[in-house]
Amino acid sequence: MINPILSPVQTSSRDDAVLNALVDFVASEGLKPGDRLPTERLLAEYLKVSRTTVREALTRWQELGLVERRQGSGTYLRSAVTRNMLHMPLTLPSGNDFNSLMHTLEIRRGLEAEAAVLCAERASDDDIAFIEKKLVVMEEAFHARAGMSSEEDWDFHLAIFQTSGNPLFEQIIAAMYEMFHRFWEHPLGVRDFGHASFPYHRTLFNCIAARDPVGARAEALKLIATVEDDLRRGAANLRKQSKT
Amino acid sequence: MINPILSPVQTSSRDDAVLNALVDFVASEGLKPGDRLPTERLLAEYLKVSRTTVREALTRWQELGLVERRQGSGTYLRSAVTRNMLHMPLTLPSGNDFNSLMHTLEIRRGLEAEAAVLCAERASDDDIAFIEKKLVVMEEAFHARAGMSSEEDWDFHLAIFQTSGNPLFEQIIAAMYEMFHRFWEHPLGVRDFGHASFPYHRTLFNCIAARDPVGARAEALKLIATVEDDLRRGAANLRKQSKT
DNA sequence: ATTGGCACAATGGTCCAACCAATTAAACAG
DNA sequence: CTGTTTAATTGGTTGGACCATTGTGCCAAT
């Protein structure tokens, strides 16, 4: 490891320069997600680089999900961009098998417990009221549909992450959550998936409301444990089916 | 959400075809991380696409960290690649202020504890021997230089993450680690930064060697706590300096 | 025989100019 | 006003050329 002061990162490649310029442009124009970026040809002309270089830079942003390209239409911003962003490309080999899904839950186990602790430590009265509102919505949806609903469930957890005061929780867990649910909306024929986790949402909230970090961690762990259990049952179902 | 079995991935763009072919090639040749891939010109000729398309595909893999390109030398594999890899690129606004650094430690607190638990549960005798070797190297470096050394320290933790059996731990924590050390090689004049964490490396190892998940979690948490403490002292130093 | 420097080939990086394919919007016929 | 056709726009692809860096092997000086 080298002291960064002694080795100021040389900008080097042209791509980075293009992307930095693009960040500045987005900032100066106040562009938001959904807005259209200048065409590749315009950028090439304006930045005095070839269109190839512009395309290579945009390809990188596209791969990071920062930008979306539609042939014949244009290039559109998909998320906020800033200078000095830290990119963390997570790659899971064969993301749709049992082990990979369990891996995402192991990450969630560690992070959700920690987020619950911080939330319980830092929540203001307003925060708690907000979380409870999300909880009630989730519980109503549960009773209305006689089952867990991803949407409202996620909103509840989201409220906890945001109250933790650390934006990293939301982003990382959201990635895990998406990985998980990309293949498992009704995982492997387990109809009541998530059912078992229901009661722990309120017990978790109670601990947070009581500013009980230790209890909050315990309840969060129980909640994840039920999901892991559902996943195992799903895997067992799958094995049974494949035997038939 | 759609069941992937019902929506077989549409062949879509040429890039994906190139990357799929490349995965097969890597598999058939048995290439491992560090090995060199065919040159762009060869790939273009063999796959019957233009070199531009090959470059675009490789640019995407490079952005995901799967591959490294060295001008004048070649393109080298950096990690195992498989078909159906699941990519989840996160981009975080890179903060170098006190709060952002503390946020990375909060993530590490949750994940390192969890990784330690899984490591203690799953480590084979060979794994433990390997981890101990890394520990000894770190301890020797510590005594030789009279201080923590990032390199050997990281290797020790890395061995634990790898033994956990979940590749996500390494990837996520590595990102946190990089974010942290990008600005804090000798953080804010705290000369003995990391000193306090030293003894907990061995106590953590002892718990792992004894297959004691609960103890491993506790020691991992103590270790991170010392780093957090160092960070707070650094921030205090900074405030003192700015007053002068 | 070893070493140092030099020329040359190989490789990724950039550029250009054209054309293809999808989209969008304008022009047009009904 | 409506539906279709047409043209312009935009990202996607191609081929070829040249630049910048790296690695290698040759050769001369020591």
PDB file of all heavy atoms in Angstrom, chain C residues 12-25:
ATOM      1  P    DG C  12      -4.366  -7.558 -26.468  1.00  0.00           P
ATOM      2  OP1  DG C  12      -4.881  -8.561 -25.526  1.00  0.00           O
ATOM      3  OP2  DG C  12      -4.751  -7.602 -27.889  1.00  0.00           O
ATOM      4  O5'  DG C  12      -4.688  -6.111 -25.898  1.00  0.00           O
ATOM      5  C5'  DG C  12      -4.293  -5.778 -24.577  1.00  0.00           C
ATOM      6  C4'  DG C  12      -4.143  -4.274 -24.418  1.00  0.00           C
ATOM      7  O4'  DG C  12      -3.331  -3.765 -25.499  1.00  0.00           O
ATOM      8  C3'  DG C  12      -5.450  -3.484 -24.468  1.00  0.00           C
ATOM      9  O3'  DG C  12      -5.355  -2.392 -23.571  1.00  0.00           O
ATOM     10  C2'  DG C  12      -5.504  -3.029 -25.916  1.00  0.00           C
ATOM     11  C1'  DG C  12      -4.026  -2.714 -26.141  1.00  0.00           C
ATOM     12  N9   DG C  12      -3.640  -2.704 -27.541  1.00  0.00           N
ATOM     13  C8   DG C  12      -3.728  -3.733 -28.440  1.00  0.00           C
ATOM     14  N7   DG C  12      -3.300  -3.422 -29.630  1.00  0.00           N
ATOM     15  C5   DG C  12      -2.897  -2.098 -29.513  1.00  0.00           C
ATOM     16  C6   DG C  12      -2.341  -1.214 -30.474  1.00  0.00           C
ATOM     17  O6   DG C  12      -2.081  -1.444 -31.658  1.00  0.00           O
ATOM     18  N1   DG C  12      -2.088   0.048 -29.920  1.00  0.00           N
ATOM     19  C2   DG C  12      -2.333   0.397 -28.618  1.00  0.00           C
ATOM     20  N2   DG C  12      -2.050   1.654 -28.275  1.00  0.00           N
ATOM     21  N3   DG C  12      -2.848  -0.417 -27.721  1.00  0.00           N
ATOM     22  C4   DG C  12      -3.100  -1.645 -28.229  1.00  0.00           C
ATOM     23  P    DG C  13      -6.547  -1.330 -23.425  1.00  0.00           P
ATOM     24  OP1  DG C  13      -6.565  -0.814 -22.042  1.00  0.00           O
ATOM     25  OP2  DG C  13      -7.745  -1.963 -24.001  1.00  0.00           O
ATOM     26  O5'  DG C  13      -6.074  -0.135 -24.390  1.00  0.00           O
ATOM     27  C5'  DG C  13      -5.283   0.902 -23.843  1.00  0.00           C
ATOM     28  C4'  DG C  13      -5.323   2.137 -24.711  1.00  0.00           C
ATOM     29  O4'  DG C  13      -4.853   1.819 -26.041  1.00  0.00           O
ATOM     30  C3'  DG C  13      -6.727   2.739 -24.892  1.00  0.00           C
ATOM     31  O3'  DG C  13      -6.651   4.144 -24.704  1.00  0.00           O
ATOM     32  C2'  DG C  13      -7.111   2.365 -26.307  1.00  0.00           C
ATOM     33  C1'  DG C  13      -5.745   2.339 -27.001  1.00  0.00           C
ATOM     34  N9   DG C  13      -5.705   1.472 -28.169  1.00  0.00           N
ATOM     35  C8   DG C  13      -6.067   0.145 -28.228  1.00  0.00           C
ATOM     36  N7   DG C  13      -5.914  -0.377 -29.417  1.00  0.00           N
ATOM     37  C5   DG C  13      -5.425   0.657 -30.190  1.00  0.00           C
ATOM     38  C6   DG C  13      -5.068   0.682 -31.568  1.00  0.00           C
ATOM     39  O6   DG C  13      -5.122  -0.232 -32.389  1.00  0.00           O
ATOM     40  N1   DG C  13      -4.615   1.948 -31.955  1.00  0.00           N
ATOM     41  C2   DG C  13      -4.516   3.034 -31.116  1.00  0.00           C
ATOM     42  N2   DG C  13      -4.063   4.157 -31.655  1.00  0.00           N
ATOM     43  N3   DG C  13      -4.850   3.013 -29.827  1.00  0.00           N
ATOM     44  C4   DG C  13      -5.283   1.803 -29.441  1.00  0.00           C
ATOM     45  P    DT C  14      -7.963   5.031 -24.867  1.00  0.00           P
ATOM     46  OP1  DT C  14      -7.809   6.200 -23.992  1.00  0.00           O
ATOM     47  OP2  DT C  14      -9.134   4.147 -24.772  1.00  0.00           O
ATOM     48  O5'  DT C  14      -7.849   5.538 -26.385  1.00  0.00           O
ATOM     49  C5'  DT C  14      -6.780   6.399 -26.753  1.00  0.00           C
ATOM     50  C4'  DT C  14      -6.901   6.767 -28.208  1.00  0.00           C
ATOM     51  O4'  DT C  14      -6.765   5.590 -29.034  1.00  0.00           O
ATOM     52  C3'  DT C  14      -8.230   7.408 -28.611  1.00  0.00           C
ATOM     53  O3'  DT C  14      -7.980   8.755 -28.995  1.00  0.00           O
ATOM     54  C2'  DT C  14      -8.752   6.542 -29.770  1.00  0.00           C
ATOM     55  C1'  DT C  14      -7.507   5.787 -30.211  1.00  0.00           C
ATOM     56  N1   DT C  14      -7.745   4.447 -30.816  1.00  0.00           N
ATOM     57  C2   DT C  14      -7.378   4.222 -32.113  1.00  0.00           C
ATOM     58  O2   DT C  14      -6.874   5.078 -32.807  1.00  0.00           O
ATOM     59  N3   DT C  14      -7.628   2.958 -32.571  1.00  0.00           N
ATOM     60  C4   DT C  14      -8.199   1.904 -31.858  1.00  0.00           C
ATOM     61  O4   DT C  14      -8.372   0.812 -32.380  1.00  0.00           O
ATOM     62  C5   DT C  14      -8.559   2.204 -30.501  1.00  0.00           C
ATOM     63  C7   DT C  14      -9.173   1.150 -29.646  1.00  0.00           C
ATOM     64  C6   DT C  14      -8.317   3.450 -30.045  1.00  0.00           C
ATOM     65  P    DC C  15      -9.141   9.731 -29.355  1.00  0.00           P
ATOM     66  OP1  DC C  15      -8.673  11.115 -29.093  1.00  0.00           O
ATOM     67  OP2  DC C  15     -10.366   9.230 -28.716  1.00  0.00           O
ATOM     68  O5'  DC C  15      -9.276   9.555 -30.930  1.00  0.00           O
ATOM     69  C5'  DC C  15      -8.141   9.804 -31.743  1.00  0.00           C
ATOM     70  C4'  DC C  15      -8.399   9.348 -33.163  1.00  0.00           C
ATOM     71  O4'  DC C  15      -8.476   7.912 -33.187  1.00  0.00           O
ATOM     72  C3'  DC C  15      -9.711   9.847 -33.769  1.00  0.00           C
ATOM     73  O3'  DC C  15      -9.452  10.920 -34.657  1.00  0.00           O
ATOM     74  C2'  DC C  15     -10.303   8.614 -34.458  1.00  0.00           C
ATOM     75  C1'  DC C  15      -9.204   7.564 -34.340  1.00  0.00           C
ATOM     76  N1   DC C  15      -9.705   6.169 -34.158  1.00  0.00           N
ATOM     77  C2   DC C  15      -9.637   5.270 -35.213  1.00  0.00           C
ATOM     78  O2   DC C  15      -9.178   5.648 -36.293  1.00  0.00           O
ATOM     79  N3   DC C  15     -10.091   4.009 -35.032  1.00  0.00           N
ATOM     80  C4   DC C  15     -10.589   3.637 -33.841  1.00  0.00           C
ATOM     81  N4   DC C  15     -11.019   2.376 -33.708  1.00  0.00           N
ATOM     82  C5   DC C  15     -10.663   4.547 -32.749  1.00  0.00           C
ATOM     83  C6   DC C  15     -10.218   5.787 -32.941  1.00  0.00           C
ATOM     84  P    DC C  16     -10.651  11.803 -35.217  1.00  0.00           P
ATOM     85  OP1  DC C  16     -10.088  13.119 -35.581  1.00  0.00           O
ATOM     86  OP2  DC C  16     -11.779  11.699 -34.283  1.00  0.00           O
ATOM     87  O5'  DC C  16     -11.065  11.058 -36.559  1.00  0.00           O
ATOM     88  C5'  DC C  16     -10.051  10.748 -37.508  1.00  0.00           C
ATOM     89  C4'  DC C  16     -10.610   9.848 -38.593  1.00  0.00           C
ATOM     90  O4'  DC C  16     -10.769   8.510 -38.074  1.00  0.00           O
ATOM     91  C3'  DC C  16     -11.990  10.272 -39.128  1.00  0.00           C
ATOM     92  O3'  DC C  16     -11.842  10.572 -40.501  1.00  0.00           O
ATOM     93  C2'  DC C  16     -12.890   9.061 -38.861  1.00  0.00           C
ATOM     94  C1'  DC C  16     -11.885   7.915 -38.695  1.00  0.00           C
ATOM     95  N1   DC C  16     -12.340   6.788 -37.832  1.00  0.00           N
ATOM     96  C2   DC C  16     -12.464   5.508 -38.378  1.00  0.00           C
ATOM     97  O2   DC C  16     -12.208   5.335 -39.574  1.00  0.00           O
ATOM     98  N3   DC C  16     -12.868   4.485 -37.565  1.00  0.00           N
ATOM     99  C4   DC C  16     -13.137   4.720 -36.280  1.00  0.00           C
ATOM    100  N4   DC C  16     -13.510   3.689 -35.533  1.00  0.00           N
ATOM    101  C5   DC C  16     -13.009   6.016 -35.708  1.00  0.00           C
ATOM    102  C6   DC C  16     -12.614   7.022 -36.507  1.00  0.00           C
ATOM    103  P    DA C  17     -12.884  11.546 -41.259  1.00  0.00           P
ATOM    104  OP1  DA C  17     -12.098  12.446 -42.124  1.00  0.00           O
ATOM    105  OP2  DA C  17     -13.826  12.093 -40.273  1.00  0.00           O
ATOM    106  O5'  DA C  17     -13.668  10.523 -42.188  1.00  0.00           O
ATOM    107  C5'  DA C  17     -12.951   9.490 -42.850  1.00  0.00           C
ATOM    108  C4'  DA C  17     -13.895   8.383 -43.243  1.00  0.00           C
ATOM    109  O4'  DA C  17     -14.054   7.452 -42.133  1.00  0.00           O
ATOM    110  C3'  DA C  17     -15.316   8.857 -43.604  1.00  0.00           C
ATOM    111  O3'  DA C  17     -15.715   8.263 -44.816  1.00  0.00           O
ATOM    112  C2'  DA C  17     -16.149   8.404 -42.415  1.00  0.00           C
ATOM    113  C1'  DA C  17     -15.421   7.126 -42.012  1.00  0.00           C
ATOM    114  N9   DA C  17     -15.680   6.678 -40.656  1.00  0.00           N
ATOM    115  C8   DA C  17     -15.819   7.446 -39.535  1.00  0.00           C
ATOM    116  N7   DA C  17     -16.064   6.763 -38.438  1.00  0.00           N
ATOM    117  C5   DA C  17     -16.087   5.445 -38.874  1.00  0.00           C
ATOM    118  C6   DA C  17     -16.288   4.231 -38.209  1.00  0.00           C
ATOM    119  N6   DA C  17     -16.518   4.152 -36.897  1.00  0.00           N
ATOM    120  N1   DA C  17     -16.239   3.095 -38.943  1.00  0.00           N
ATOM    121  C2   DA C  17     -16.010   3.187 -40.259  1.00  0.00           C
ATOM    122  N3   DA C  17     -15.805   4.272 -41.001  1.00  0.00           N
ATOM    123  C4   DA C  17     -15.852   5.379 -40.237  1.00  0.00           C
ATOM    124  P    DA C  18     -16.947   8.898 -45.642  1.00  0.00           P
ATOM    125  OP1  DA C  18     -16.412   9.231 -46.966  1.00  0.00           O
ATOM    126  OP2  DA C  18     -17.616   9.898 -44.804  1.00  0.00           O
ATOM    127  O5'  DA C  18     -17.968   7.669 -45.782  1.00  0.00           O
ATOM    128  C5'  DA C  18     -17.481   6.435 -46.189  1.00  0.00           C
ATOM    129  C4'  DA C  18     -18.144   5.296 -45.439  1.00  0.00           C
ATOM    130  O4'  DA C  18     -17.986   5.480 -44.003  1.00  0.00           O
ATOM    131  C3'  DA C  18     -19.660   5.153 -45.603  1.00  0.00           C
ATOM    132  O3'  DA C  18     -19.927   4.243 -46.661  1.00  0.00           O
ATOM    133  C2'  DA C  18     -20.117   4.606 -44.242  1.00  0.00           C
ATOM    134  C1'  DA C  18     -18.848   4.534 -43.402  1.00  0.00           C
ATOM    135  N9   DA C  18     -19.044   4.822 -41.992  1.00  0.00           N
ATOM    136  C8   DA C  18     -19.036   6.043 -41.383  1.00  0.00           C
ATOM    137  N7   DA C  18     -19.228   6.006 -40.079  1.00  0.00           N
ATOM    138  C5   DA C  18     -19.376   4.658 -39.823  1.00  0.00           C
ATOM    139  C6   DA C  18     -19.603   3.950 -38.628  1.00  0.00           C
ATOM    140  N6   DA C  18     -19.740   4.529 -37.435  1.00  0.00           N
ATOM    141  N1   DA C  18     -19.693   2.602 -38.717  1.00  0.00           N
ATOM    142  C2   DA C  18     -19.557   2.029 -39.923  1.00  0.00           C
ATOM    143  N3   DA C  18     -19.329   2.582 -41.104  1.00  0.00           N
ATOM    144  C4   DA C  18     -19.251   3.917 -40.986  1.00  0.00           C
ATOM    145  P    DC C  19     -21.393   4.191 -47.303  1.00  0.00           P
ATOM    146  OP1  DC C  19     -21.246   3.662 -48.673  1.00  0.00           O
ATOM    147  OP2  DC C  19     -22.055   5.478 -47.049  1.00  0.00           O
ATOM    148  O5'  DC C  19     -22.122   3.081 -46.416  1.00  0.00           O
ATOM    149  C5'  DC C  19     -21.523   1.800 -46.275  1.00  0.00           C
ATOM    150  C4'  DC C  19     -22.152   1.080 -45.090  1.00  0.00           C
ATOM    151  O4'  DC C  19     -21.831   1.796 -43.874  1.00  0.00           O
ATOM    152  C3'  DC C  19     -23.685   0.973 -45.132  1.00  0.00           C
ATOM    153  O3'  DC C  19     -24.057  -0.400 -45.132  1.00  0.00           O
ATOM    154  C2'  DC C  19     -24.145   1.693 -43.865  1.00  0.00           C
ATOM    155  C1'  DC C  19     -22.906   1.609 -42.985  1.00  0.00           C
ATOM    156  N1   DC C  19     -22.835   2.648 -41.930  1.00  0.00           N
ATOM    157  C2   DC C  19     -22.869   2.268 -40.594  1.00  0.00           C
ATOM    158  O2   DC C  19     -22.939   1.064 -40.304  1.00  0.00           O
ATOM    159  N3   DC C  19     -22.822   3.217 -39.621  1.00  0.00           N
ATOM    160  C4   DC C  19     -22.751   4.508 -39.967  1.00  0.00           C
ATOM    161  N4   DC C  19     -22.695   5.412 -38.982  1.00  0.00           N
ATOM    162  C5   DC C  19     -22.705   4.931 -41.320  1.00  0.00           C
ATOM    163  C6   DC C  19     -22.756   3.976 -42.265  1.00  0.00           C
ATOM    164  P    DC C  20     -25.585  -0.802 -45.321  1.00  0.00           P
ATOM    165  OP1  DC C  20     -25.630  -1.954 -46.247  1.00  0.00           O
ATOM    166  OP2  DC C  20     -26.368   0.417 -45.596  1.00  0.00           O
ATOM    167  O5'  DC C  20     -25.994  -1.331 -43.876  1.00  0.00           O
ATOM    168  C5'  DC C  20     -25.225  -2.360 -43.265  1.00  0.00           C
ATOM    169  C4'  DC C  20     -25.773  -2.668 -41.866  1.00  0.00           C
ATOM    170  O4'  DC C  20     -25.469  -1.558 -40.981  1.00  0.00           O
ATOM    171  C3'  DC C  20     -27.281  -2.865 -41.800  1.00  0.00           C
ATOM    172  O3'  DC C  20     -27.565  -3.982 -40.980  1.00  0.00           O
ATOM    173  C2'  DC C  20     -27.796  -1.568 -41.191  1.00  0.00           C
ATOM    174  C1'  DC C  20     -26.637  -1.173 -40.284  1.00  0.00           C
ATOM    175  N1   DC C  20     -26.528   0.288 -40.015  1.00  0.00           N
ATOM    176  C2   DC C  20     -26.632   0.756 -38.710  1.00  0.00           C
ATOM    177  O2   DC C  20     -26.828  -0.048 -37.799  1.00  0.00           O
ATOM    178  N3   DC C  20     -26.515   2.085 -38.476  1.00  0.00           N
ATOM    179  C4   DC C  20     -26.297   2.922 -39.490  1.00  0.00           C
ATOM    180  N4   DC C  20     -26.181   4.217 -39.218  1.00  0.00           N
ATOM    181  C5   DC C  20     -26.180   2.458 -40.839  1.00  0.00           C
ATOM    182  C6   DC C  20     -26.302   1.146 -41.047  1.00  0.00           C
ATOM    183  P    DA C  21     -29.099  -4.507 -40.845  1.00  0.00           P
ATOM    184  OP1  DA C  21     -29.046  -5.971 -40.576  1.00  0.00           O
ATOM    185  OP2  DA C  21     -29.885  -3.975 -41.982  1.00  0.00           O
ATOM    186  O5'  DA C  21     -29.589  -3.789 -39.515  1.00  0.00           O
ATOM    187  C5'  DA C  21     -29.002  -4.143 -38.265  1.00  0.00           C
ATOM    188  C4'  DA C  21     -29.778  -3.505 -37.123  1.00  0.00           C
ATOM    189  O4'  DA C  21     -29.522  -2.073 -37.100  1.00  0.00           O
ATOM    190  C3'  DA C  21     -31.297  -3.648 -37.215  1.00  0.00           C
ATOM    191  O3'  DA C  21     -31.808  -3.783 -35.903  1.00  0.00           O
ATOM    192  C2'  DA C  21     -31.731  -2.344 -37.842  1.00  0.00           C
ATOM    193  C1'  DA C  21     -30.752  -1.370 -37.194  1.00  0.00           C
ATOM    194  N9   DA C  21     -30.490  -0.162 -37.961  1.00  0.00           N
ATOM    195  C8   DA C  21     -30.367  -0.025 -39.320  1.00  0.00           C
ATOM    196  N7   DA C  21     -30.101   1.195 -39.705  1.00  0.00           N
ATOM    197  C5   DA C  21     -30.040   1.907 -38.518  1.00  0.00           C
ATOM    198  C6   DA C  21     -29.790   3.263 -38.250  1.00  0.00           C
ATOM    199  N6   DA C  21     -29.537   4.179 -39.182  1.00  0.00           N
ATOM    200  N1   DA C  21     -29.799   3.656 -36.963  1.00  0.00           N
ATOM    201  C2   DA C  21     -30.044   2.729 -36.013  1.00  0.00           C
ATOM    202  N3   DA C  21     -30.283   1.427 -36.145  1.00  0.00           N
ATOM    203  C4   DA C  21     -30.273   1.089 -37.445  1.00  0.00           C
ATOM    204  P    DA C  22     -33.292  -4.329 -35.667  1.00  0.00           P
ATOM    205  OP1  DA C  22     -33.171  -5.558 -34.864  1.00  0.00           O
ATOM    206  OP2  DA C  22     -34.040  -4.320 -36.954  1.00  0.00           O
ATOM    207  O5'  DA C  22     -33.924  -3.193 -34.731  1.00  0.00           O
ATOM    208  C5'  DA C  22     -33.266  -2.877 -33.525  1.00  0.00           C
ATOM    209  C4'  DA C  22     -33.610  -1.460 -33.137  1.00  0.00           C
ATOM    210  O4'  DA C  22     -33.146  -0.563 -34.166  1.00  0.00           O
ATOM    211  C3'  DA C  22     -35.108  -1.183 -32.960  1.00  0.00           C
ATOM    212  O3'  DA C  22     -35.334  -0.811 -31.623  1.00  0.00           O
ATOM    213  C2'  DA C  22     -35.418  -0.055 -33.955  1.00  0.00           C
ATOM    214  C1'  DA C  22     -34.046   0.526 -34.245  1.00  0.00           C
ATOM    215  N9   DA C  22     -33.873   1.123 -35.568  1.00  0.00           N
ATOM    216  C8   DA C  22     -33.962   0.498 -36.774  1.00  0.00           C
ATOM    217  N7   DA C  22     -33.722   1.284 -37.805  1.00  0.00           N
ATOM    218  C5   DA C  22     -33.464   2.509 -37.225  1.00  0.00           C
ATOM    219  C6   DA C  22     -33.133   3.771 -37.782  1.00  0.00           C
ATOM    220  N6   DA C  22     -33.024   3.997 -39.092  1.00  0.00           N
ATOM    221  N1   DA C  22     -32.926   4.794 -36.923  1.00  0.00           N
ATOM    222  C2   DA C  22     -33.039   4.561 -35.602  1.00  0.00           C
ATOM    223  N3   DA C  22     -33.341   3.428 -34.969  1.00  0.00           N
ATOM    224  C4   DA C  22     -33.538   2.428 -35.845  1.00  0.00           C
ATOM    225  P    DT C  23     -36.847  -0.535 -31.106  1.00  0.00           P
ATOM    226  OP1  DT C  23     -36.855  -0.901 -29.673  1.00  0.00           O
ATOM    227  OP2  DT C  23     -37.796  -1.133 -32.077  1.00  0.00           O
ATOM    228  O5'  DT C  23     -37.005   1.049 -31.214  1.00  0.00           O
ATOM    229  C5'  DT C  23     -35.999   1.865 -30.642  1.00  0.00           C
ATOM    230  C4'  DT C  23     -36.181   3.289 -31.085  1.00  0.00           C
ATOM    231  O4'  DT C  23     -35.896   3.397 -32.492  1.00  0.00           O
ATOM    232  C3'  DT C  23     -37.582   3.861 -30.895  1.00  0.00           C
ATOM    233  O3'  DT C  23     -37.512   4.844 -29.895  1.00  0.00           O
ATOM    234  C2'  DT C  23     -37.959   4.416 -32.286  1.00  0.00           C
ATOM    235  C1'  DT C  23     -36.615   4.505 -32.987  1.00  0.00           C
ATOM    236  N1   DT C  23     -36.621   4.377 -34.473  1.00  0.00           N
ATOM    237  C2   DT C  23     -36.232   5.454 -35.231  1.00  0.00           C
ATOM    238  O2   DT C  23     -35.902   6.521 -34.768  1.00  0.00           O
ATOM    239  N3   DT C  23     -36.245   5.229 -36.596  1.00  0.00           N
ATOM    240  C4   DT C  23     -36.599   4.043 -37.245  1.00  0.00           C
ATOM    241  O4   DT C  23     -36.561   3.964 -38.471  1.00  0.00           O
ATOM    242  C5   DT C  23     -36.985   2.967 -36.380  1.00  0.00           C
ATOM    243  C7   DT C  23     -37.373   1.660 -36.979  1.00  0.00           C
ATOM    244  C6   DT C  23     -36.978   3.175 -35.055  1.00  0.00           C
ATOM    245  P    DT C  24     -38.880   5.471 -29.258  1.00  0.00           P
ATOM    246  OP1  DT C  24     -38.624   5.772 -27.841  1.00  0.00           O
ATOM    247  OP2  DT C  24     -40.005   4.606 -29.657  1.00  0.00           O
ATOM    248  O5'  DT C  24     -39.008   6.848 -30.041  1.00  0.00           O
ATOM    249  C5'  DT C  24     -37.850   7.670 -30.196  1.00  0.00           C
ATOM    250  C4'  DT C  24     -38.106   8.711 -31.249  1.00  0.00           C
ATOM    251  O4'  DT C  24     -38.005   8.116 -32.564  1.00  0.00           O
ATOM    252  C3'  DT C  24     -39.494   9.357 -31.189  1.00  0.00           C
ATOM    253  O3'  DT C  24     -39.346  10.729 -30.932  1.00  0.00           O
ATOM    254  C2'  DT C  24     -40.124   9.060 -32.556  1.00  0.00           C
ATOM    255  C1'  DT C  24     -38.909   8.758 -33.428  1.00  0.00           C
ATOM    256  N1   DT C  24     -39.144   7.830 -34.570  1.00  0.00           N
ATOM    257  C2   DT C  24     -38.766   8.213 -35.839  1.00  0.00           C
ATOM    258  O2   DT C  24     -38.255   9.278 -36.073  1.00  0.00           O
ATOM    259  N3   DT C  24     -39.013   7.280 -36.823  1.00  0.00           N
ATOM    260  C4   DT C  24     -39.588   6.032 -36.654  1.00  0.00           C
ATOM    261  O4   DT C  24     -39.763   5.273 -37.605  1.00  0.00           O
ATOM    262  C5   DT C  24     -39.962   5.700 -35.305  1.00  0.00           C
ATOM    263  C7   DT C  24     -40.590   4.371 -35.032  1.00  0.00           C
ATOM    264  C6   DT C  24     -39.725   6.602 -34.338  1.00  0.00           C
ATOM    265  P    DA C  25     -40.636  11.623 -30.600  1.00  0.00           P
ATOM    266  OP1  DA C  25     -40.243  12.523 -29.496  1.00  0.00           O
ATOM    267  OP2  DA C  25     -41.832  10.771 -30.481  1.00  0.00           O
ATOM    268  O5'  DA C  25     -40.764  12.494 -31.928  1.00  0.00           O
ATOM    269  C5'  DA C  25     -39.586  13.007 -32.540  1.00  0.00           C
ATOM    270  C4'  DA C  25     -39.887  13.445 -33.960  1.00  0.00           C
ATOM    271  O4'  DA C  25     -39.990  12.273 -34.809  1.00  0.00           O
ATOM    272  C3'  DA C  25     -41.202  14.206 -34.122  1.00  0.00           C
ATOM    273  O3'  DA C  25     -41.019  15.265 -35.048  1.00  0.00           O
ATOM    274  C2'  DA C  25     -42.156  13.150 -34.675  1.00  0.00           C
ATOM    275  C1'  DA C  25     -41.199  12.353 -35.548  1.00  0.00           C
ATOM    276  N9   DA C  25     -41.641  10.995 -35.838  1.00  0.00           N
ATOM    277  C8   DA C  25     -42.208  10.086 -34.987  1.00  0.00           C
ATOM    278  N7   DA C  25     -42.497   8.933 -35.538  1.00  0.00           N
ATOM    279  C5   DA C  25     -42.088   9.090 -36.852  1.00  0.00           C
ATOM    280  C6   DA C  25     -42.128   8.223 -37.959  1.00  0.00           C
ATOM    281  N6   DA C  25     -42.605   6.976 -37.899  1.00  0.00           N
ATOM    282  N1   DA C  25     -41.634   8.692 -39.136  1.00  0.00           N
ATOM    283  C2   DA C  25     -41.158   9.951 -39.183  1.00  0.00           C
ATOM    284  N3   DA C  25     -41.079  10.847 -38.205  1.00  0.00           N
ATOM    285  C4   DA C  25     -41.563  10.351 -37.054  1.00  0.00           C
TER     286       DA C  25
END
